[in-house]
Amino acid sequence: MPAAPAVAVSDDVREAVAAGRPVVALETTIITHGLPRPRNVTTALDAEQLLRDAGVVPATIGVVGGRPTVGLTGEEIERLGSTDAVHKIGTRDLPVAMAQGWSGGTTVAATALLAHRAGVGVFATGGLGGVHRGAATTFDESADLVALAGLPVLVVSAGVKSILDVGATLERLETLGVTVLGYRTAVFPGFYVRDSGFGVTDRVETPAEAAAVVRARDALGLRSAVLLANPVDAAEELDDEVHRAVLDGALADAETHGVRGKDTTPHLLDHLHRASEGRSLEVNVALYRANVALGGEVARSLAFVGELHPPGTAT
Ligand code: PSU
Ligand code: MN
């Protein structure tokens, strides 16, 4: 008898992947450590519904009782999002989580790995991790970057969080061979704001154009990710003044409290949400929804390869 597979894949996801139907992977650290309760669970379930309404199968990914799972049930999502007894599970934590029976949310890095293992090539998140400010001395650089260097997925993200050193992150993405595409923009987005202050040299205007880049990558046998950088809607972005004020406050607070390692990003996000009186939270939810929707469109575009009439073309 073959050993039980290390990764559980739901029937929905397995069948869709096998049939070449569109699937989008969703991470769960945003549920367990990124958004406050109960908004975390409603946002996660909304994201799934949004995909289903668009004819796309959602594959929310996390770890339940030591089992990495691709295609969590609604109940599992609610459970992960309703308790403090959950871990933030990065790539290096996965073996420990399995051996010790943890439940928890998977980061972009761990989620991309599990998605790829299950044959899911499109993945949506809020904001990718990156190089933290002060990394020259702390060496704090998200494992998301290295993961994307070696996993041929497409990740939709609102750039990287402005809590990070965006310039250094872009340099690392270049070094690591990650293809970065601005979605209808030549400006790299800064998560809460449309403009991070840095440019992006390559851009696409449609989901079909993004899909074409993915296909070209695969034709070449390149094993790195494509990052589709989708700026938050202009009507939703955080006010510049508010952004600057709360960001400085958050960074200073983390410094004062000596926050380190995997606690850093959740600590900063939580501080921002409080200091902005929930405004940054609304932006986070809005940009996440938009990224999920765009991921769905790219997945549909990729799934329609070889069909006579790809979505968006006249019949
Ligand atoms: N996007 C959000 N909220 C989040 C994250 C992304 O809108 O909380 C999470 C992702 O799971 C990402 C993680 O992988 O933040 C980065 O953590 P770190 O900097 O410790 O690698
Ligand atoms: Mn870190």
Side-chain angles (χ1 to χ4, degrees):
M1 269 251 284
V7 179
V9 182
S10 72
D11 291 345
D12 260 17
V13 172
R14 184 183 302 104
E15 283 161 20
V17 167
R21 291 200 304 272
V23 183
V24 169
L26 303 170
E27 53 131 338
T28 40
T29 292
I30 188 172
I31 307 174
T32 56
H33 292 76
L35 301 171
R37 299 201 279 264
R39 206 62 195 284
N40 57 346
V41 170
T42 52
T43 303
L45 296 177
D46 277 359
E48 290 215 326
Q49 194 54 47
L50 191 155
L51 288 171
R52 285 196 195 94
D53 291 346
V56 177
V57 174
T60 301
I61 297 178
V63 179
V64 177
R67 203 103 200 277
T69 303
V70 178
L72 295 170
T73 64
E75 256 170 42
E76 287 170 328
I77 290 170
E78 276 179 41
R79 246 183 291 140
L80 282 180
S82 313
T83 165
D84 287 333
V86 281
H87 296 256
K88 173 179 168 184
I89 302 174
T91 309
R92 71 168 184 173
D93 306 308
L94 275 173
V96 187
M98 291 168 70
Q100 300 187 1
W102 297 359
S103 293
T106 44
T107 64
V108 167
T111 305
L113 174 77
L114 296 171
H116 178 64
R117 288 286 162 82
V120 179
V122 177
F123 171 22
T125 181
L128 183 70
V131 181
H132 282 266
R133 296 167 191 235
T137 49
T138 63
F139 280 64
D140 189 355
E141 173 181 326
S142 176
D144 291 355
L145 297 182
V146 176
L148 294 194
L151 291 166
V153 295
L154 175 133
V155 181
V156 186
S157 161
V160 296
K161 302 182 193 75
S162 50
I163 57 174
L164 300 169
D165 183 335
V166 179
T169 303
L170 283 167
E171 293 295 346
R172 289 293 286 148
L173 286 167
E174 182 179 6
T175 304
L176 293 166
V178 175
T179 299
V180 180
L181 302 175
Y183 188 69
R184 298 180 179 160
T185 183
V187 169
F188 192 68
F191 196 66
Y192 299 115
V193 290
R194 289 175 62 80
D195 184 352
S196 68
F198 293 85
V200 52
T201 45
D202 303 326
R203 66 185 277 172
V204 294
E205 308 302 324
T206 62
E209 284 181 33
V213 173
V214 169
R215 270 186 236 115
R217 175 201 63 193
D218 294 344
L220 201 55
L222 262 184
R223 306 291 295 164
S224 46
V226 171
L227 173 61
L228 185 57
N230 185 29
V232 63
D233 206 84
E236 311 273 7
E237 75 177 330
L238 197 59
D239 174 81
D240 224 34
E241 300 263 293
V242 175
H243 181 239
R244 213 162 324 184
V246 296
L247 184 57
D248 287 347
L251 294 166
D253 179 77
E255 182 73 38
T256 309
H257 289 93
V259 180
R260 289 276 176 274
K262 70 204 286 182
D263 296 334
T264 302
T265 298
H267 186 94
L268 289 170
L269 294 180
D270 181 56
H271 190 282
L272 285 167
H273 293 158
R274 288 168 201 272
S276 69
E277 288 161 344
R279 271 176 284 180
S280 74
L281 172 59
E282 295 310 317
V283 181
N284 199 342
V285 170
L287 67 83
Y288 183 60
R289 280 184 65 85
N291 291 347
V292 171
L294 180 56
E297 291 182 59
V298 176
R300 282 170 57 95
S301 207
L302 280 166
F304 276 84
V305 180
E307 297 273 326
L308 226 42
H309 302 294
T313 63
T315 54

